Amino acid sequence: MVGPRRDGASPRDARLSGLEIWLTGTPAEVDAVTAALTAAGHRLAQRGTRRPLTGADAGRCRLYLRLSVATAARPASRAPDTGGAALLDLDTARRKTA
């Protein structure tokens, strides 16, 4: 009979670090996201094999990524990056309608 299950990391395995992501989408979407992450300065520590999906998800794939992410804090005075979208100041909008 097998003893109780030990729930934890194996002492034989190297310590893992970094951000793990499973991407699921069309091959073009997966490539675009991977390129955007690396262009943003994140280093790919591991890239899995792209696996095609089947059935209702035919034409899509999944990909595993492990990234080394820089965690330096942004200065508080810098405005957030909105990707070109306008920010809505809800407090001001509420005061105008009141």
Side-chain angles (χ1 to χ4, degrees):
M1 183 167 162
V2 179
R5 179 184 164 117
R6 182 179 169 275
D7 198 15
S10 169
R12 295 181 302 250
D13 292 337
R15 184 168 181 91
L16 297 176
S17 63
L19 175 68
E20 295 179 280
I21 302 174
W22 279 100
L23 300 175
T24 304
T26 65
E29 290 169 335
V30 168
D31 290 343
V33 169
T34 303
L37 289 168
T38 55
H42 307 302
R43 186 182 64 80
L44 282 177
Q46 182 180 352
R47 180 185 177 127
T49 303
R50 184 184 299 185
R51 304 282 183 196
L53 300 177
T54 59
D57 286 323
R60 293 167 43 94
C61 62
R62 72 173 185 229
L63 177 68
Y64 170 80
L65 299 177
R66 181 183 299 277
L67 302 164
S68 293
V69 178
T71 58
R74 293 191 319 196
S77 61
R78 183 177 169 196
D81 180 12
T82 62
L87 289 177
L88 177 61
D89 183 352
L90 291 177
D91 292 331
T92 303
R94 287 182 184 124
R95 280 193 298 270
K96 288 181 180 177
T97 61

